[in-house]
Amino acid sequence: MANPARKTVLVVENQPNYTQLLVKQLLFAGLNPVVAITGEGGLRKAAECHPHLILFEAELSDMDGMEFISLLRQRPEADRIPVVAMSPFPHLKSKCLERGCNDFLQKPIKMIELMTRLKRFLS
């Protein structure tokens, strides 16, 4: 059960090992992680849980990350949510930012960098 005093971070990631690592770090930081493994699931969970921040893999199994961010930003309730894309491919950074992401993290993600970004967007 989610702790209402904690901020919620939606993680949209289809690699189980990466998902586990991110969830562990988010819990350690005192946040409530919510996980989706597909873009469609991420859009649904964003509407359900009203996250304070969304971390998503730019190469999802069911839809392109650019499609995910475009669909997400069309929703009025998600317009102001900080969204951080993640990818091992640095060339996707400019595309993600152009589509409406607030930031981009290159994989493998350094956890200190992740924590710095979370602090910036959630404070």
Side-chain angles (χ1 to χ4, degrees):
M1 183 81 149
N3 180 340
R6 294 180 172 194
K7 293 191 176 184
T8 299
V9 176
L10 174 59
V11 177
V12 185
E13 171 63 68
N14 55 7
Q15 297 177 10
N17 291 343
Y18 233 90
T19 302
Q20 288 177 348
L21 178 65
L22 291 170
V23 165
K24 185 177 180 179
Q25 289 298 313
L26 294 170
L27 288 168
F28 182 75
L31 300 165
N32 277 329
V34 173
V35 175
I37 59 171
T38 64
E40 193 61 44
L43 294 171
R44 188 173 45 257
K45 288 201 177 183
E48 292 170 0
C49 75
H50 308 288
H52 296 90
L53 183 132
I54 298 172
L55 286 171
F56 83 97
E57 165 58 53
E59 296 289 317
L60 296 165
S61 58
D62 65 331
M63 70 174 65
D64 180 86
M66 302 316 113
E67 181 183 4
F68 174 80
I69 189 64
S70 294
L71 291 170
L72 181 72
R73 289 300 190 206
Q74 290 174 15
R75 298 174 174 201
E77 73 274 8
D79 189 42
R80 293 191 178 136
I81 299 171
V83 179
V84 179
M86 306 175 291
S87 175
F89 307 111
H91 69 276
L92 291 178
K93 180 178 182 174
S94 61
K95 289 180 182 180
C96 290
L97 296 174
E98 287 169 8
R99 291 286 177 102
C101 289
N102 299 86
D103 208 342
F104 179 90
L105 289 168
Q106 186 174 342
K107 289 179 172 180
I109 297 171
K110 295 177 179 84
M111 288 304 126
I112 189 75
E113 188 176 358
L114 175 64
M115 292 299 112
T116 300
R117 306 290 172 86
L118 291 174
K119 186 176 178 182
R120 182 174 108 208
F121 286 117
L122 296 174
S123 59

